[in-house]
Amino acid sequence: MPDQFLYAIEVMINGLMTGVLYSLVALGFVLIFKASGVFNYAQGVLALFAALTLVGLQRGQVPFAHLINAVFGTEVDHFPWTLPSLIAIILTIGVMILLAVLVERLVLKHLVNQEPIILFMATIGLAYFLEGLGDIMWGSDIKMLDVGLPQGASRWVESNTKWLGGEGFYGFFIDKLDMVATLVAAILVISLTLFSQYSKQGRALRAVADDHQAALSVGISLRFIWVLVWSIAGFVALVAGIMWGTKSGVQFSLSLIALKALPVLMLGGFTSIPGAIVGGLIIGVGEKLFEFTIGGMIGGATENWFAYVLALLFLVFRPQGLFGEKIIERV
Amino acid sequence: MTTIGAPVSTGTEKAAGGWITADGRTIGEIMMEMRNITLRFGGVTAIEDISFDIRKGEIRAIIGPNGAGKSSMLNVISGFYVPQEGEILFHGAQRPPMRPYEVARQGIARTFQNIALFKGMSTLDNIMTGRMTLMRTGMASQALWWGKAQAEESAHREAVEKIIDFLEIQTIRKTPVGRLPYGLQKRVELGRALAAEPKLLLLDEPMAGMNVEEKEDMSRFILDVNDEFGTTIALIEHDMGVVMDLSDRVVVMDYGKKIGDGTPDEVRNNKEVIDAYLGVAHD
């Protein structure tokens, strides 16, 4: 096989892996949108907050250390212990559930029956609040996150694919972390789909998404469902935060990946879990391949805008996305 | 709940413990009692000092002209509105102010005037959500889909299939309800309410907007539900003819007040009721 073609395949595979990470963030959006009709602008920040909390707990950082020191003139910084990854992750899940309860109590409960735009504005507020809270709790420096996930190029893949090409080809270069991310995303999607299709709570979740009044009339507590769905979204955010944080460090620009999830959602449809995944993969592969083939001719850095242009095309020709519910208006 | 053997009395003679109707159904003790209910929205009084009761096994109708406060009354019973004054007794015990989902969990199911179905879900899934209050398995085993959860799901599925057969909607089992015609949507909504195996079934204008044929079907289902499952039914209806044929007792409302209460025949001959419906002649 010609080397150029093999490189294209390698670019595509790496695009798929990046796409998986986009999908993970998009998944959080879809979950909340489906259950409450709210576009949760704070989803990206949720991932950042989860990652910050995880690193902080793992290292035994004292939360609000700067604040405490400034007020009391002390010099606290770290607790004298560090936590194993697994325990830190479990504690972070607890924090995300607590956050879900607080969001319901302090924000959503007071905005029942409001226009979607009002709820959207509330999530923008929530995003800035959480960003500030993350800063004041854990500090704003870039932190390395290591929960023991394998990293670096996979030697095994490299040596086993070398035979495909000629002299100048050294085998496919694939990051082990990306492979783990793919596996995790697959498990997450399958279990979420099964949960929403076949369990009592999953059915309740779909019911709430469809009609609040009817859901109440069959005995579903809206508040419980909201806490549930925000907890799940928090968990998905944690998974996304771990993957992104391990890849490029926990930093505040992490919340910007939320923006990349937008074109993913426009492609996949705002209400479809498989759509979020496929949309993420298409954007991931699309932007890498576009950069590889055409990028060089037009000055490069096409990855910054390719996704948005693709989303724009979709908005023109298929506004409900690939998997979205078809828009039928009965007159 | 039908009694076999000679009726204790014929007609609708009132007794503390209930009575047996002309067609042999047993009307039991008082299930729900509304005492001096008053409901206001800001300065508007939707319901003013209304008292009435619903007996076990009966079909109780609430009628009245537009804006009489009938739907408000149903919303009070189902917990969607909380009245400012008055008390509600359910099985003899006073009911504290409840949220609609808590009322549903007490065994009170309802339908809505403007159909509130889960439009994106199939007929089967819609009726399945009706059994939400009867599902017992915990969340963990539900999520992991093991043991009891699976057995429970199939038991519920079986009950739902019976309702589908009963309502003669087998052919639309898998159709998303948003695509169904109006009359069938109403039927699915009735199915979802029935799936909860309610003690009290509230129907908000079950025949609104239907043609004659659909109305006849719906009347038949309502009578069958009452007869076969012994379900107590309270319904609101505009169509006087239908109400008089269906119900055991009728409450008549006008401008938020109760102006009549009794058997269809008693109500039909009540002067105030006739005035409300036909208008009063002013000379």
Side-chain angles (χ1 to χ4, degrees):
Chain A
M1 264 187 267
D3 288 356
Q4 193 65 17
F5 179 67
L6 286 169
Y7 284 134
I9 292 184
E10 184 181 293
V11 167
M12 216 174 94
I13 295 174
N14 280 311
L16 278 177
M17 304 290 179
T18 317
V20 167
L21 292 182
Y22 293 151
S23 305
L24 275 179
V25 180
L27 196 60
F29 279 102
V30 170
L31 282 171
I32 291 189
F33 189 80
K34 263 182 89 114
S36 47
V38 182
F39 181 81
N40 178 23
Y41 185 81
Q43 187 63 32
V45 185
L46 223 51
L48 168 71
F49 187 79
L52 278 174
T53 308
L54 178 58
V55 177
L57 288 171
Q58 215 180 1
R59 294 185 177 171
Q61 239 179 300
V62 178
F64 302 108
H66 284 291
L67 193 67
I68 294 170
N69 292 342
V71 174
F72 299 105
T74 48
E75 293 229 342
V76 291
D77 187 10
H78 282 78
F79 293 115
W81 65 75
T82 56
L83 289 176
S85 301
L86 188 66
I87 294 179
I89 289 175
I90 292 171
L91 284 177
T92 310
I93 292 174
V95 171
M96 298 314 280
I97 292 175
L98 187 71
L99 192 66
V101 174
L102 286 178
V103 165
E104 197 279 332
R105 282 279 151 79
L106 302 176
V107 185
L108 296 177
K109 191 182 120 182
H110 304 286
L111 297 175
V112 175
N113 287 336
Q114 294 290 340
E115 299 285 319
I117 187 73
I118 306 278
L119 288 158
F120 174 63
M121 297 305 281
T123 65
I124 293 182
L126 185 68
Y128 286 109
F129 174 77
L130 275 181
E131 211 171 304
L133 185 70
D135 188 352
I136 213 169
M137 261 177 99
W138 306 110
S140 57
D141 47 322
I142 298 175
K143 301 174 184 69
M144 294 312 294
L145 174 62
D146 185 7
V147 289
L149 292 177
Q151 264 178 292
S154 166
R155 292 259 167 275
W156 185 84
V157 174
E158 224 171 339
S159 57
N160 280 292
T161 48
K162 196 176 183 326
W163 59 271
L164 284 167
E167 278 296 291
F169 185 71
Y170 299 104
F172 289 139
F173 183 94
I174 292 170
D175 197 321
K176 278 185 256 177
L177 178 68
D178 288 340
M179 286 157 61
V180 173
T182 309
L183 190 69
V184 168
I187 295 171
L188 213 57
V189 169
I190 292 170
S191 41
L192 281 175
T193 310
L194 289 178
F195 175 74
S196 89
Q197 284 299 322
Y198 297 109
S199 75
K200 173 188 169 188
Q201 273 78 18
R203 206 178 280 118
L205 209 142
R206 282 189 294 149
V208 169
D210 220 320
D211 193 314
H212 287 183
Q213 271 204 341
L216 281 170
S217 82
V218 294
I220 297 168
S221 156
L222 292 186
R223 297 181 56 185
F224 172 75
I225 291 297
W226 281 333
V227 170
L228 179 71
V229 79
W230 278 75
S231 302
I232 297 176
F235 177 70
V236 174
L238 172 64
V239 174
I242 290 175
M243 298 304 169
W244 280 97
T246 311
K247 204 180 171 83
S248 47
V250 180
Q251 45 185 320
F252 277 76
S253 65
L254 194 67
S255 63
L256 292 178
I257 55 171
L259 290 178
K260 264 285 168 60
L262 264 176
V264 170
L265 291 170
M266 283 167 191
L267 245 74
F270 279 81
T271 51
S272 163
I273 290 175
I277 299 304
V278 175
L281 295 182
I282 292 177
I283 297 266
V285 174
E287 65 180 19
K288 286 282 187 314
L289 271 185
F290 190 77
E291 176 72 25
F292 179 73
T293 51
I294 303 173
M297 291 176 231
I298 52 172
T302 57
E303 284 179 36
N304 287 331
W305 53 261
F306 175 79
Y308 300 100
V309 172
L310 193 63
L312 201 62
L313 288 175
F314 259 81
L315 278 182
V316 173
F317 294 108
R318 204 179 152 79
Q320 74 270 34
L322 282 173
F323 294 84
E325 283 150 25
K326 203 160 182 211
I327 302 159
I328 307 169
E329 197 73 49
R330 266 202 164 169
V331 189
Chain B
M1 211 209 285
T2 45
T3 1
I4 306 151
V8 182
S9 66
T10 49
T12 49
E13 219 174 273
K14 278 179 197 152
W19 62 90
I20 292 175
T21 59
D23 55 351
R25 290 173 306 117
T26 308
I27 307 289
E29 74 278 14
I30 292 168
M31 174 185 262
M32 181 158 255
E33 195 178 347
M34 318 296 284
R35 278 191 193 157
N36 308 98
I37 301 289
T38 297
L39 174 75
R40 292 186 207 96
F41 298 110
V44 185
T45 308
I47 301 174
E48 201 180 329
D49 193 27
I50 289 192
S51 306
F52 69 97
D53 57 39
I54 301 167
R55 283 172 177 273
K56 197 163 184 287
E58 78 174 330
I59 299 180
R60 185 76 147 128
I62 304 172
I63 63 167
N66 269 333
K70 308 181 297 287
S71 281
S72 297
M73 197 70 215
L74 210 68
N75 283 330
V76 166
I77 301 177
S78 60
F80 279 80
Y81 296 158
V82 179
Q84 279 79 10
E85 285 162 39
E87 46 188 14
I88 302 167
L89 282 84
F90 190 47
H91 288 299
Q94 191 173 353
R95 190 177 89 178
M98 278 183 173
R99 296 180 166 278
Y101 71 90
E102 291 169 325
V103 173
R105 288 174 188 180
Q106 284 209 322
I108 298 178
R110 67 166 294 175
T111 66
F112 293 85
Q113 193 174 342
N114 310 310
I115 306 183
L117 282 168
F118 308 119
K119 297 210 163 44
M121 288 158 63
S122 67
T123 300
L124 187 70
D125 270 350
N126 263 279
I127 300 181
M128 203 71 179
T129 55
R131 296 192 71 78
M132 203 66 79
T133 51
L134 302 172
M135 295 187 179
R136 288 281 169 265
T137 349
M139 202 166 138
S141 66
Q142 275 279 348
L144 298 169
W145 189 247
W146 67 34
K148 259 198 343 207
Q150 207 169 354
E152 203 194 348
E153 178 90 1
S154 46
H156 286 304
R157 181 67 197 271
E158 209 169 296
V160 167
E161 288 296 338
K162 269 188 200 144
I163 289 168
I164 289 178
D165 286 347
F166 174 76
L167 293 174
E168 296 155 20
I169 46 178
Q170 297 91 333
T171 49
I172 55 163
R173 190 188 273 115
K174 301 271 180 196
T175 319
V177 294
R179 290 203 208 131
L180 296 174
Y182 183 82
L184 280 178
Q185 289 196 9
K186 281 257 177 200
R187 215 186 278 188
V188 175
E189 207 193 12
L190 175 64
R192 189 184 60 198
L194 284 179
E197 294 171 16
K199 293 187 192 118
L200 175 61
L201 176 62
L202 306 172
L203 306 174
D204 195 349
E205 304 220 8
M207 282 163 255
M210 286 185 165
N211 61 34
V212 179
E213 212 173 299
E214 288 170 327
K215 276 184 187 176
E216 277 171 4
D217 278 341
M218 188 53 95
S219 304
R220 183 163 53 86
F221 289 131
I222 292 172
L223 285 172
D224 284 354
V225 167
N226 177 256
D227 200 23
E228 282 181 33
F229 310 127
T231 310
T232 309
I233 298 173
L235 64 89
I236 290 176
E237 194 43 69
H238 246 102
D239 188 327
M240 281 285 264
V242 172
V243 172
M244 297 305 175
D245 288 345
L246 275 181
S247 44
D248 296 304
R249 290 190 301 156
V250 184
V251 175
V252 192
M253 288 176 74
D254 192 23
Y255 293 113
K257 296 191 183 106
K258 184 167 102 169
I259 57 170
D261 189 354
T263 63
D265 281 330
E266 286 166 7
V267 164
R268 216 191 311 256
N269 298 320
N270 182 326
K271 191 178 170 297
E272 266 191 274
V273 176
I274 296 168
D275 287 349
Y277 265 88
L278 303 175
V280 192
H282 297 281
D283 27 38

